[in-house]
Amino acid sequence: MAATDLFERRATLARSVRLLSQFRYEQSAPARFYGALADDTAAMVTELWRGVCGDDPAGKTVLDVGGGPGYFATAFADAGLRYVGVEPDPAEMHAADPADAGPPMGSFVRASGMALPFADASVDICLSSNVAEHVPRPWQLGNEMLRVTRPGGLAVLSYTVWLGPFGGHEMGLTHYLGGQRAARRYTRRHGHPPKNNYGSSLFAVSAAEGLDWARHTGALVAAFPRYHPRWAWSMTNVPGLREFGVSNLVLVLQPE
């Protein structure tokens, strides 16, 4: 079985439309947005594990780097995995309304993803969802993920590509004017800087950089656009096009 066979069956146009329709609720109804994203992520990781490792991941430990306030914890617990979340920002750890996120599930550690306080080869699965574009050294983050993942386990690094339509995050498509200019424009319009501020909490990360890093690790088993239907995955292999079309790149790696 190929690494992505099971997930490919679910990577339909209907799924893409359903997920993309949730993005408009990120600010107004975060529980709705992040809950849907978390459920889809847990299903994706489960199917990738089955494709790569050949068995069910129930009971395995998943380390979620940048896991936020607990929506992902609930989704992975529901999928039968032991969840450990890592989050450097205490405000993010407590951002969810308990009435929306429910009681905390799993364990949580305050730490940087670029210096994970875990032993080598200590977890079965290491996940980072939409974090690499928020750190100044994303491939140091990737190397740390590989370090703590046991041989034969799975590391899944998913990030937003800068030149894609969501690269500017809440700045919208103005990031095509340049990151600093977009941040200044947002500040003038809203009276405060964007949460994802270019140069401090948002960085320009390309698809080519991620693919180059992943290939040089020798652990890459799959790469695909996270929110696209299967018939659009081939754009990942096309330089130039992938920077604008992939939007969110998933790198699946298995340490030996």
Side-chain angles (χ1 to χ4, degrees), residues 161 163-164 206-209 211-212 215 234-249:
V161 178
L163 288 178
S206 71
E209 290 170 335
L211 290 165
D212 184 65
R215 287 166 180 153
S234 59
M235 71 173 65
T236 305
N237 302 317
V238 184
L241 176 61
R242 62 192 174 204
E243 302 299 340
F244 294 92
V246 163
S247 183
N248 190 288
L249 179 65

Side-chain angles (χ1 to χ4, degrees), residues 109-136:
V109 177
R110 183 182 175 188
S112 168
M114 293 186 291
L116 293 170
F118 298 91
D120 295 357
S122 57
V123 301
D124 301 299
I125 302 167
C126 192
L127 166 71
S128 177
S129 175
N130 298 321
V131 174
E133 70 268 27
H134 298 295
V135 298

Side-chain angles (χ1 to χ4, degrees), residues 18 24 37 47 76 119 124 165 175 183 211-212 216 229 254-255:
R18 183 174 65 253
R24 67 182 184 272
L37 181 62
E47 290 162 0
F76 277 100
D124 301 299
H175 71 297
L211 290 165
D212 184 65
H216 278 87
Q254 185 175 43

Side-chain angles (χ1 to χ4, degrees), residues 172-242:
L173 298 179
T174 64
H175 71 297
Y176 289 122
L177 303 173
Q180 293 179 343
R181 185 177 180 186
R184 291 194 298 268
R185 186 177 185 274
Y186 182 96
T187 301
R188 288 195 304 269
R189 182 176 181 182
H190 296 276
H192 59 84
K195 174 185 176 182
N196 300 291
N197 197 22
Y198 184 79
S200 61
S201 58
L202 181 63
F203 301 87
V205 187
S206 71
E209 290 170 335
L211 290 165
D212 184 65
W213 166 78
R215 287 166 180 153
H216 278 87
T217 67
L220 181 65
V221 295
F224 57 89
R226 181 171 181 174
Y227 304 120
H228 289 44
R230 176 63 186 88
W231 48 260
W233 284 14
S234 59
M235 71 173 65
T236 305
N237 302 317
V238 184
L241 176 61
R242 62 192 174 204

Side-chain angles (χ1 to χ4, degrees), residues 63-66 85-89 109-118 131 134-137 140-141 144-145 147-148:
L63 178 64
D64 182 9
V65 182
V86 172
E87 176 58 54
D89 185 352
V109 177
R110 183 182 175 188
S112 168
M114 293 186 291
L116 293 170
F118 298 91
V131 174
H134 298 295
V135 298
R137 297 181 296 280
Q140 180 176 329
L141 167 70
E144 278 291 278
M145 292 175 62
R147 178 185 66 78
V148 302

Side-chain angles (χ1 to χ4, degrees), residues 14-96:
R15 167 186 171 268
S16 298
V17 172
R18 183 174 65 253
L19 285 174
L20 290 173
S21 70
Q22 297 297 325
F23 276 94
R24 67 182 184 272
Y25 297 108
E26 181 179 9
Q27 300 296 321
S28 61
R32 176 172 179 171
F33 168 71
Y34 286 106
L37 181 62
D39 289 342
D40 187 78
T41 302
M44 178 182 73
V45 170
T46 296
E47 290 162 0
L48 289 172
W49 176 277
R50 289 170 177 160
V52 174
C53 303
D55 60 359
D56 192 275
K60 303 296 184 184
T61 298
V62 57
L63 178 64
D64 182 9
V65 182
Y71 298 111
F72 277 51
T74 299
F76 277 100
D78 288 346
L81 284 82
R82 295 194 298 268
Y83 180 91
V84 180
V86 172
E87 176 58 54
D89 185 352
E92 285 293 320
M93 294 178 76
H94 302 286

